[in-house]
């Protein structure tokens, strides 16, 4: 008898030991498994659309005051079209971050398709998540249709497919669409609309999203293939877009990559083949960025840009001290004020950096009166140069300056024994530096 009791107690201890790593668990066939190991933050493993909906409900209606990080892992491809439509007409309410805590999502390169988003009163960040840090997620067949009413309590809306606000890396969005109608009567407000996120940072992402916007408000709208506004400190690199953007209304800042970037950004290795068309006036269209005040390095655009009453530039719509280094464009441009590189300059950079433009002007409008000094010469006489030719040119050596002290940095094109083909300028430690790849 004692032996039987001993065996039973040993079994119970073993069972307790094996289960102590889980706070709550469900069979993966039900779609969601919640784990907690020791004192670490919870991990939500999601297998199905139903499981995703259960997790969303637990976040959107949570009563917990815990500020522990939320970690989400996508365990399989998920078809969200299996979910029923909600009262809004969509099948999804963006997952909220109410405490707030940090939500981190690891997608494991799985595909999430069939997401449908509609306007919900009280929500101003639209995407799969309202706000999160997301990696390795593929989004397909996403349908975003948002009508923002006249009277709203929020000064900013952020609309994307993956997130409204936050950070995305190694993600893609394709075969998707965003339709947004802005009706607010508040002039002190704005909307960020992006193919992947409304506002935040992005790295190594691809977007093929068609965006349609009607701005009936007097506020600004910022829109781009990746983001409405990219505003993360440091490098944001390897971003590519090939969708389309069509906008009706005034006060539009549209770019192939983003509508606006932050002054502390550095865009590296970005390219866009997007088609952008803006009707009405008082707007700015750029092959890469609508309004830029950052470094843009070794980037390229060759889309079709149309703004018959707008400022149109092959790379930037309007520059507020933007700095272009080793960039190239051969976009098709049509606008009232046009520039091969920049459509309008608010504040000129200290030097003209080595760039080339072979843009094709259609029904040329006026040259901007405040354009870069040699813009005409660059645009009219530039031959088609490869990024390698631009990067290794003597003019690049002479013109690329240290951001802070104005001295040429460094003197040589080769570095660390590497060949010129493997060198690139990057932003690090608050300086532009030559690095080898």
């Amino acid at each position: 008898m004692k032996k039987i009791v001993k065996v039973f107690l040993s079994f119970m201890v073993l069972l307790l030991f094996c289960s102590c790593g889980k706070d709550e668990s469900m069979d993966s066939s039900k779609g969601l498994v919640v784990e907690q190991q020791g004192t670490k933050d919870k991990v939500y493993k999601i297998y199905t659309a139903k499981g995703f909906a259960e997790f969303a409900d637990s976040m959107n209606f949570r009563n917990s005051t815990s500020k522990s990080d939320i970690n989400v892992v996508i365990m399989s491809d998920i078809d969200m079209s299996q979910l029923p439509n909600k009262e809004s007409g969509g099948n999804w309410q963006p997952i909220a971050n109410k405490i707030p805590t940090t939500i981190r999502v690891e997608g494991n390169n799985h595909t999430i398709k069939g997401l449908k988003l509609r306007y919900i009163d009280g929500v101003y960040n639209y995407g799969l998540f309202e706000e999160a840090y997301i990696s390795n997620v593929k989004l397909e067949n996403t349908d975003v249709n948002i009508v923002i009413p006249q009277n709203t309590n929020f000064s900013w809306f952020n609309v994307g497919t993956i997130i409204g606000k936050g950070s995305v890396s190694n993600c893609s969005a394709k075969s998707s669409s965003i339709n947004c109608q802005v009706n607010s009567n508040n002039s002190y407000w704005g909307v960020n609309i992006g193919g992947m996120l409304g506002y935040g940072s992005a790295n190594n992402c691809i977007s093929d999203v068609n965006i349609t916007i009607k701005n009936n408000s007097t506020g600004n709208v910022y829109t781009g293939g990746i983001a409405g506004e990219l505003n993360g400190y440091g490098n944001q690199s390897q971003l590519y877009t090939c969708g389309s953007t069509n906008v009706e209304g005034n006060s539009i800042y549209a770019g192939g990559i983003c509508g606006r970037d932050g002054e502390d950004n550095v865009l590296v290795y970005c390219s866009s083949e997007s088609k952008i068309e803006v009707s009405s006036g008082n707007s700015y269209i750029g092959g890469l960025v609508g309004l830029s005040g950052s470094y843009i390095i070794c980037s390229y655009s060759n889309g079709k840009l149309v703004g018959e009453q707008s400022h149109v530039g092959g790379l930037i719509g309007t520059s507020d001290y933007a700095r272009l280094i080793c960039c190239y464009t051969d976009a098709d441009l049509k606008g009232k004020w046009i520039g091969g590189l920049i459509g309008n300059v608010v504040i000129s950079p200290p030097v003209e950096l080595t760039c080339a433009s072979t843009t094709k002007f259609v029904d040329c409008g006026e040259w901007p009166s405040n354009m870069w000094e040699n813009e005409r010469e660059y645009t009219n006489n530039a031959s088609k140069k490869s990024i390698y030719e631009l990067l290794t040119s003597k003019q690049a050596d002479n013109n690329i300056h240290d951001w802070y002290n104005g001295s040429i940095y460094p003197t040589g094109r080769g570095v660390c024994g590497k060949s010129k083909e493997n060198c690139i300028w990057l932003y690090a430690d608050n300086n532009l530096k030559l690095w080898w790849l």
Side-chain angles (χ1 to χ4, degrees):
M1 185 66 178
K2 287 182 179 179
K3 188 174 181 181
I4 294 174
V5 171
K6 255 186 187 180
V7 171
F8 177 74
L9 290 175
S10 298
F11 174 75
M12 292 301 294
V13 169
L14 181 62
L15 184 63
L16 179 63
F17 177 79
C18 292
S19 63
C20 66
K22 292 191 178 183
D23 171 68
E24 172 189 358
S25 67
M26 287 179 284
D27 188 271
S28 62
S29 63
K30 295 183 179 179
L32 177 66
V33 172
V34 186
E35 295 182 354
Q36 183 168 349
Q37 296 182 350
T39 59
K40 292 184 179 180
D41 302 324
K42 286 184 178 180
V43 177
Y44 294 81
K45 295 183 177 181
I46 298 174
Y47 293 82
T48 65
K50 181 182 177 181
F52 227 138
E54 290 176 6
F55 169 70
D57 287 344
S58 73
M59 294 297 295
N60 291 336
F61 305 106
R62 68 189 299 209
N63 294 317
S64 171
T65 58
S66 171
K67 293 186 178 181
S68 298
D69 287 356
I70 302 295
N71 298 289
V72 180
V73 182
I74 309 300
M75 303 301 293
S76 62
D77 292 348
I78 297 175
D79 185 358
M80 305 293 271
S81 66
Q82 299 172 0
L83 299 175
N85 286 344
K86 297 179 178 291
E87 186 178 345
S88 65
N91 63 5
W92 192 251
Q93 177 172 339
I95 296 173
N97 186 2
K98 292 186 175 181
I99 301 304
T101 59
T102 299
I103 300 176
R104 303 184 187 279
V105 182
E106 170 53 57
N108 286 323
N109 293 314
H110 287 301
T111 298
I112 300 172
K113 66 179 182 179
L115 191 69
K116 187 161 63 171
L117 294 167
R118 299 295 183 266
Y119 175 80
I120 299 173
D121 189 32
V123 176
Y124 58 97
N125 289 316
Y126 287 86
L128 180 63
F129 288 78
E130 285 193 27
E131 183 174 354
Y133 296 82
I134 297 188
S135 301
N136 305 308
V137 168
K138 300 176 183 178
L139 220 61
E140 293 182 8
N141 301 319
T142 301
D143 173 15
V144 181
N145 196 326
I146 305 294
V147 179
I148 301 173
Q150 283 191 347
N151 298 313
T152 176
N153 295 324
F154 302 110
S155 59
W156 278 94
F157 276 78
N158 298 304
V159 180
T161 54
I162 297 180
I163 53 173
K165 183 179 180 181
S167 174
V168 292
S169 62
N170 304 314
C171 293
S172 65
K174 67 177 185 178
S175 303
S176 299
S177 64
I178 296 176
N179 291 274
C180 191
Q181 182 171 317
V182 185
N183 298 317
S184 173
N185 51 19
N186 182 358
S187 60
Y188 298 100
W189 91 312
V191 181
N192 292 314
I193 303 170
M196 304 187 80
L197 69 157
Y199 176 96
S201 63
N203 280 283
N204 193 27
C205 292
I206 298 175
S207 173
D208 182 6
V209 178
N210 296 321
I211 301 173
T212 303
I213 302 169
K214 185 174 183 180
N215 184 23
N216 297 322
S217 75
T218 54
N220 294 335
V221 173
Y222 302 91
T223 183
I226 296 290
E229 178 174 353
L230 283 176
N231 205 335
Y233 295 101
N235 295 336
Q236 305 202 52
S237 63
Q238 301 183 65
L239 305 175
Y240 170 73
T241 66
C242 58
S244 67
T245 300
N246 290 277
V247 187
E248 179 182 339
N250 297 322
S251 302
I252 308 298
Y253 295 83
I257 299 296
C258 62
R260 175 168 66 170
D261 58 27
E263 62 182 14
D264 293 307
N265 281 349
V266 180
L267 272 62
V268 185
Y269 289 141
C270 296
S271 61
S272 175
E273 300 178 63
S274 296
K275 178 183 176 181
I276 303 174
E277 184 170 355
V278 178
S279 60
S280 301
N282 191 28
S283 297
Y284 303 88
I285 307 167
L288 296 177
V289 184
L291 167 61
S292 178
S294 72
Y295 280 102
I296 302 178
I297 303 174
C298 283
S299 294
Y300 167 78
S301 77
N302 72 337
K304 183 176 181 180
L305 314 176
V306 178
E308 296 186 11
Q309 301 298 318
S310 301
H311 294 266
V312 181
L315 295 173
I316 298 173
T318 182
S319 167
D320 188 1
Y321 209 79
R323 285 133 293 185
L324 293 169
I325 301 173
C326 302
C327 293
Y328 171 70
T329 175
D330 62 353
D332 290 347
L333 308 181
K334 183 177 182 180
K336 185 174 183 180
W337 301 279
I338 50 180
L341 301 174
I342 298 176
N344 177 65
V345 177
V346 178
I347 302 176
S348 298
V351 291
E352 294 198 15
L353 305 174
T354 305
C355 297
S357 166
T358 56
T359 53
K360 295 173 280 295
F361 296 157
V362 183
D363 297 334
C364 292
E366 305 171 18
W367 286 94
S369 59
N370 57 348
M371 65 193 301
W372 282 2
E373 183 180 352
N374 293 328
E375 173 80 31
R376 294 173 187 264
E377 180 182 345
Y378 273 146
T379 301
N380 293 338
N381 299 329
S383 60
K384 190 170 184 179
K385 297 182 179 181
S386 68
I387 290 295
Y388 166 73
E389 289 172 323
L390 292 171
L391 193 60
T392 57
S393 69
K394 184 64 179 175
Q395 189 177 0
D397 262 337
N398 293 336
N399 285 341
I400 298 176
H401 283 53
D402 181 287
W403 187 4
Y404 285 96
N405 60 34
S407 62
I408 297 176
Y409 176 87
T411 55
R413 301 299 290 170
V415 63
C416 302
K418 298 293 181 177
S419 63
K420 295 178 180 180
E421 291 91 335
N422 294 323
C423 294
I424 186 65
W425 289 91
L426 290 180
Y427 180 77
D429 300 327
N430 294 326
N431 287 289
L432 280 175
K433 294 183 178 181
L434 190 63
W435 291 77
W436 55 270
L437 302 178

